[in-house]
Amino acid sequence: MNVPPLLVAATTSYAANCALGVSVATGVVRTGRWHWIHHALYICTSALTLAAGVTLLTSGDEHRRRAGTLLLPTALPLAAIPYAGTHSRRHPAIALAAAPFYALAMRASARPASARR
């Protein structure tokens, strides 16, 4: 399978940020004075998602353009998450709303290299 590297990076960053958020929320990990790491991962995720989306949408490949279209809805939860309180149920719910679109974009862009022209 030949998934675009920027999409893999964006999806991985998103998954890492969710894992860190859940770990901190459940008390498995304590970031203490390093709480900014979650914010840095959010910024990284947003930037990588934007870069992946632009790259996919401007691609000449039909499957990659479709993947870019499927990635577009992630912009809504990524834009809303800074305004959702961190100590409420809204924060994780909004954050997880992006997950299906990352998965759909990955699936849409994954084609065997032999099927590419």
Side-chain angles (χ1 to χ4, degrees):
M1 300 290 175
N2 191 3
V3 179
L6 274 174
L7 180 56
V8 172
T11 304
T12 302
S13 181
Y14 169 76
N17 206 14
C18 287
L20 179 61
V22 168
S23 297
V24 170
T26 59
V28 172
V29 171
R30 292 188 178 214
T31 54
R33 294 173 61 175
W34 291 80
H35 68 277
W36 57 267
I37 199 92
H38 190 56
H39 302 162
L41 266 172
Y42 162 76
I43 293 166
C44 182
T45 300
S46 298
L48 285 168
T49 301
L50 175 64
V54 169
T55 302
L56 291 167
L57 287 169
T58 59
S59 170
D61 182 88
E62 176 185 341
H63 289 275
R64 289 192 176 185
R65 282 195 311 272
R66 176 158 166 66
T69 301
L70 290 167
L71 194 61
L72 283 174
T74 63
L76 294 173
L78 288 176
I81 200 71
Y83 303 100
T86 58
H87 298 290
S88 70
R89 290 184 180 180
R90 285 185 307 179
H91 189 86
I94 292 170
L96 289 174
F101 301 104
Y102 281 105
L104 288 169
M106 289 283 286
R107 182 171 183 220
S109 71
R111 278 198 306 163
S114 61
R116 294 188 184 271
R117 292 184 185 161

